[in-house]
Amino acid sequence: MRILVTGATGFIGFNVAKALKNAGHDIVAAARSAEEWKKKSSAFEWISCDFQRDINSSDWLPRLSGIDVVINAVGIIHESASQTFQQVQTETPKALFQAASDLGLKVIQVSAMGADNPLVTVPFLKTKQEADNFLQTLPMESVVVYPSIVIGRGGTSTALFNQMAAMPVTPLIGDGTQMLNPIHIEIGRA
């Protein structure tokens, strides 16, 4: 299959793309600085996109030519002057999903644990939820996954847990009853 992976420069997206490439799939990796990434990893075909600006389905239709499956692994933890939750996690994914639906493609959306709660108000989760909900209204095959913690060498969550493990006491986060939905990433070739 020919698979478009957005967020391919992030920890989850890059490792998903590597695993799929190792399984024999053709990977088209989308990045804002595609030319720079072509030099870093020639295992994928790199295309340019900008999740702050590519907010129309017409922006995505040409990029989806020849694609069988779209995996959206784009996400930001903090907003900045150049990236907002609303644009990066809602508006652009909606445009991407609409284009994929128009072409009859399959989509996997990497959301975040808690985004499936209808009462969520946290902007990071709310904007993920808006994109998830839109995707689920489209007449296409799609799956939304809700990971919480990503475990793997080089991951931010792993670094945090390693630091916590070195402490003389284990801190309790919240009341300690929350559910977790971890993803394990094993670093491989590609």
Side-chain angles (χ1 to χ4, degrees):
M1 279 197 280
R2 190 166 161 81
I3 302 171
L4 173 69
V5 179
T6 63
T9 62
F11 188 65
I12 293 173
F14 188 75
N15 284 288
V16 165
K18 283 194 319 185
L20 290 167
K21 178 70 175 177
N22 291 339
H25 299 286
D26 293 325
I27 302 301
V28 178
R32 192 177 6 197
S33 52
E35 290 303 317
E36 177 184 323
W37 278 91
K38 282 179 189 177
K39 296 172 190 169
K40 293 179 183 181
S41 176
S42 61
F44 314 138
E45 175 186 336
W46 290 91
I47 62 168
S48 294
C49 74
D50 186 336
F51 263 64
Q52 184 63 24
R53 292 184 176 78
D54 298 341
I55 60 171
N56 299 302
S57 61
S58 59
D59 295 326
W60 290 97
L61 286 168
R63 295 176 180 139
L64 297 178
S65 177
I67 298 295
D68 300 302
V69 175
V70 172
I71 300 175
N72 180 40
V74 168
I76 57 173
I77 300 298
H78 303 285
E79 290 184 295
S80 68
S82 63
Q83 292 187 317
T84 66
F85 289 136
Q86 190 65 37
Q87 292 300 113
V88 173
Q89 296 183 170
T90 300
E91 299 307 322
T92 299
K94 286 170 63 174
L96 171 61
F97 301 157
Q98 183 63 61
S101 179
D102 292 347
L103 296 172
L105 306 180
K106 298 174 184 174
V107 171
I108 298 170
Q109 160 75 337
V110 179
S111 186
M113 188 168 184
D116 57 340
N117 179 343
L119 302 177
V120 71
T121 59
V122 176
F124 169 79
L125 295 174
K126 187 69 177 166
T127 54
K128 286 282 194 177
Q129 181 185 73
E130 290 170 9
D132 302 345
N133 291 346
F134 178 78
L135 175 61
Q136 293 168 341
T137 67
L138 296 172
M140 62 192 298
E141 284 188 62
S142 64
V143 173
V144 179
V145 296
Y146 299 96
S148 60
I149 297 170
V150 182
I151 307 294
R153 189 177 314 135
T156 304
S157 297
T158 302
L160 173 63
F161 283 107
N162 285 340
Q163 290 172 347
M164 289 171 56
M167 297 173 72
V169 294
T170 303
L172 181 63
I173 300 170
D175 64 5
T177 62
Q178 62 273 26
M179 300 294 292
L180 295 178
N181 220 8
I183 291 178
H184 175 252
I185 292 182
E186 185 175 325
I187 307 300
R189 65 184 202 286

